[in-house]
Amino acid sequence: MQVDTVNVKARMDSMGVLQLHERGHNIKNLILREREKLRQNLRIIDIRWKKVGDTLATELSTLTKQCRNLVTIDLSDNYIGDSGCRELASAVATHATLKTLNLGGNRIGDLGAATISSMLMMNATLKELDMSGNDLKKVGIQGIGGGMRVNTGLTALRLVENFFGDEGAVELGWALSYNSTLQHLYIRSNDISNAGVAMLSSGIVRNEALRSLDLGDNDVSDRGATSLADALGNNTVLRHLDLTLNEIGSDGKDALLDAMDFTSWSEAMGEEYVLALVTCLHPRLGGESELQSILAVPPNAFKKAIMSGKKISPGEKQALVRAERTAKPAEAKLLSVDDDSPLHRIIPHCIHRRQRTVLFDGLQEHAQASAS
């Protein structure tokens, strides 16, 4: 049951936080009486779990447009619905300072999501958006995904417990293919199965920004884990993966842990040093003898093979052998790992292994190795 907004009272504290308070003023009157004070000092609107409905959302959208220093709006669990979402999205679309918007648990459906899509297309300052616990299905996620394709500001998106299934995961996969700023995506508890994960993985392959992905409490098994592993073999940016409360067996876990073990290096190095270092430290590519022949291998093809985590082909092996046999003394010295060699001196500065983590059934495992 929604609260009668005539009796909704609020006040702003000395820190610029607006909250409902029994000793405050009726919120509509408060906006009228203290318009200038709010416009100058309001930083946070924190009205959670009150079920105040869409009428209050309309009042707050008017206030949002006027406040030049507002950075956070938290209206979670207020049942503002599609109409309240439309009012707020319109206010946020052109807002220049707002960083965080939480509209979780507000009975927002596909119509409301369409207004969020328009907001994302227009706003480049909002950093965090929470739409968890609503009623977003394929069309709603399609709208939000469309906004994410062109958005250049959002870094964290929460869509937990919307139960949009594989169809929604497909839309998010497309969005990830185009988006270049989102770093954290939370899609726990959405009935996503292996098919949805496969499409999501296709977006991860192309994405160069996403650092953490929460896929917990879905319907992912070994097949879905393998799809993710294939994607992560070509993605060195994603660092944290949560797959708790899924049905992933030992094969899927091993594939993911193997894929998330990667080597990173300084792009400022010359390519011959990069390839030599990666060949030396990559677990799949053999011993030091190959260092002396690396310069003769086509750099782009070989580097791509290394980054994808695949074994080098027989043809590439033959190229290595031929190059090793014909290596000039100067090249051999350049790529040696003796104590006084250039390669030995730059290894501590230009090569390191970064830790990546993956969660299975509440347990955290690290895919990490140290350079040596």
Side-chain angles (χ1 to χ4, degrees), residues 305-354:
I306 293 171
M307 292 182 67
S308 67
K310 298 177 181 178
K311 294 181 179 179
I312 59 177
S313 68
E316 289 168 332
K317 276 282 190 182
Q318 292 175 7
L320 287 172
V321 172
R322 288 195 302 270
E324 184 176 4
R325 290 173 180 170
T326 59
K328 299 176 182 179
E331 292 175 350
K333 180 63 177 178
L334 178 68
L335 296 176
S336 72
V337 288
D338 296 334
D339 288 345
D340 61 343
S341 69
L343 182 58
H344 186 274
R345 290 197 296 270
I346 66 174
I347 283 177
H349 304 290
C350 298
I351 191 74
H352 62 282
R353 296 233 175 181
R354 293 179 180 174

Side-chain angles (χ1 to χ4, degrees), residues 172-173 176-177 197 199-208 210 213 215 228 231-232 234-235 238 241:
L172 291 175
L176 288 175
S177 297
V197 169
M199 296 305 297
L200 195 65
S201 298
S202 67
I204 292 174
V205 170
R206 300 179 180 89
N207 188 275
E208 298 180 352
L210 194 68
L213 174 63
L215 268 169
L228 281 171
L232 292 173
N234 292 281
N235 180 311
L238 198 147
L241 178 62

Side-chain angles (χ1 to χ4, degrees), residues 120-168:
L120 290 172
M121 291 180 183
M122 297 177 65
N123 185 293
T125 58
L126 188 70
K127 298 301 180 185
E128 299 183 19
L129 173 64
D130 193 337
M131 295 290 290
S132 300
N134 283 294
D135 191 28
L136 306 177
K137 304 307 178 188
K138 177 185 177 180
V139 175
I141 299 301
Q142 186 178 42
I144 291 177
M148 288 305 302
R149 292 191 194 189
V150 298
N151 182 270
T152 58
L154 203 67
T155 59
L157 176 61
R158 292 174 172 83
L159 297 169
V160 177
E161 290 186 353
N162 276 284
F163 307 104
F164 47 71
D166 291 340
E167 292 182 329

Side-chain angles (χ1 to χ4, degrees), residues 218-282:
N218 281 292
D219 299 319
V220 185
S221 65
D222 282 357
R223 188 157 60 91
T226 302
S227 297
L228 281 171
D230 290 342
L232 292 173
N234 292 281
N235 180 311
T236 60
V237 179
L238 198 147
R239 305 287 296 281
H240 181 79
L241 178 62
D242 191 334
L243 286 165
T244 54
L245 300 178
N246 282 286
E247 299 296 328
I248 300 175
S250 58
D251 290 345
K253 292 179 181 179
D254 289 344
L256 280 167
L257 288 170
D258 189 47
M260 293 187 78
D261 178 20
F262 75 99
T263 303
S264 61
W265 57 85
S266 168
E267 294 294 342
M269 295 169 59
E271 193 164 42
E272 67 273 18
Y273 287 110
V274 171
L275 293 173
L277 285 167
V278 175
T279 306
C280 180
L281 297 174
H282 197 283

